[in-house]
Amino acid sequence: MDTPETRALLRRTYLFSALNDAQLNQMLESVRLVKLGAGERLFERGQEANRFFLVMEGQMKLYRLSASGDEKVIEIVRRGGTFAEAVLFMGVKGYPVNADALSPSVVASFSNEVFRELLKDSADTCFRLMASMSRRLHSRLEEIDALTLHNATYRLVAYLLELAGPKERGQQRVNLGVAKHVVASRLSIQPETFSRILKRLSKDGLIEPNGSEIEITELGRLRELMRTGI
């Protein structure tokens, strides 16, 4: 676990970027690796929350079930993403969601208690973490804005462009990585609406869907749609 590649991955995450080298060493001493098969559950809602997690390989689905059994995907966490860290600061005893592996995954598990002790011992670390959390909160607010103020097509196009990365023009192939109904749930779009939007974007010559892979044929036009409103 303690390799240069792993340390670089940790440094790119907002939680660990606030730690100095000695503090990072302490967190690495508390780490456990968990291997999960596709569909295997890491934890369930209400289970005692004493650790938080970082995806090393694969993808994790965070979700809740309604009283009628309907699934609402809260987040899809990919390599380098952390989850369940909010319980560090919330004072709750149980995880608020379920966490399942969407594909064969490796997850690093860290001790909440060790991390809290590091923060108690260093005000400077707390301020650095607050700065990182503020930047993350700003990103989340933009996402909430997209979910509440923009229509379903806008949300889907924004998601595809996020997967495409910084490239401005030309073609780009992206892989949803998960079933379309999972992405639809994540974006608060009905599955049938999701399919209709894909068909319309395809008819307009902007994308070419092929299962979980989508060829964005006109990145420039797709970005222009985002700028001008859909």
Side-chain angles (χ1 to χ4, degrees):
M1 179 69 187
D2 191 358
T3 65
E5 181 181 290
T6 298
R7 284 177 174 266
L9 179 63
L10 294 177
R11 286 299 186 196
R12 289 195 294 270
T13 67
Y14 81 101
L15 279 176
F16 297 105
S17 65
L19 305 183
N20 59 37
D21 289 341
Q23 291 168 329
L24 186 61
N25 290 339
Q26 286 183 255
M27 289 307 303
L28 285 170
E29 289 174 3
S30 79
V31 71
R32 301 175 188 165
L33 286 182
V34 183
K35 295 184 179 181
L36 300 162
E40 191 172 352
R41 180 161 298 172
L42 177 63
F43 59 76
E44 61 184 25
R45 184 183 180 189
Q47 183 177 326
E48 184 178 2
N50 49 25
R51 302 185 74 83
F52 66 95
F53 307 90
L54 169 72
V55 178
M56 305 295 293
E57 297 176 20
Q59 298 179 97
M60 297 296 297
K61 175 179 68 174
L62 309 184
Y63 67 99
R64 297 181 74 164
L65 296 175
S66 68
S68 60
D70 294 329
E71 180 181 290
K72 169 56 185 172
V73 178
I74 307 300
E75 189 168 6
I76 299 170
V77 188
R78 297 178 174 83
R79 184 176 187 273
T82 57
F83 60 99
E85 69 270 28
V87 295
L88 276 165
F89 313 102
M90 293 169 59
V92 298
K93 294 183 178 180
Y95 294 112
V97 296
N98 304 303
D100 293 359
L102 284 168
S103 59
S105 301
V106 177
V107 175
S109 164
F110 297 91
S111 167
N112 288 354
E113 182 179 357
V114 172
F115 196 84
R116 274 194 293 260
E117 288 302 315
L118 290 178
L119 296 182
K120 289 178 183 178
D121 291 341
S122 173
D124 288 341
T125 303
C126 290
F127 279 111
R128 289 195 299 270
L129 179 59
M130 287 173 64
S132 296
M133 293 179 73
S134 296
R135 290 190 292 270
R136 183 177 172 86
L137 176 60
H138 180 73
S139 174
R140 291 299 189 188
L141 288 174
E142 289 182 344
E143 182 178 340
I144 291 172
D145 176 69
L147 287 171
T148 56
L149 300 182
H150 299 292
N151 63 30
T153 302
Y154 183 101
R155 297 199 296 272
L156 178 53
V157 169
Y159 186 79
L160 293 177
L161 290 176
E162 180 184 349
L163 293 179
K167 188 176 178 181
E168 284 291 326
R169 298 193 174 277
Q171 294 182 318
Q172 182 72 34
R173 177 169 297 181
V174 300
N175 194 318
L176 297 179
V178 296
K180 291 178 181 177
H181 74 271
V182 175
V183 177
S185 177
R186 173 67 182 85
L187 299 176
S188 297
I189 302 173
Q190 292 296 319
E192 55 271 20
T193 302
F194 186 92
S195 297
R196 284 199 298 270
I197 296 171
L198 286 181
K199 288 179 181 178
R200 186 169 72 248
L201 293 175
S202 178
K203 184 178 179 180
D204 291 342
L206 296 171
I207 65 171
E208 292 181 4
N210 183 19
S212 63
E213 287 195 343
I214 295 178
E215 182 78 26
I216 301 176
T217 54
E218 292 283 354
L219 265 173
R221 285 178 59 197
L222 210 57
R223 292 193 184 281
E224 186 62 28
L225 279 177
M226 289 286 294
R227 285 190 285 267
T228 59
I230 297 174

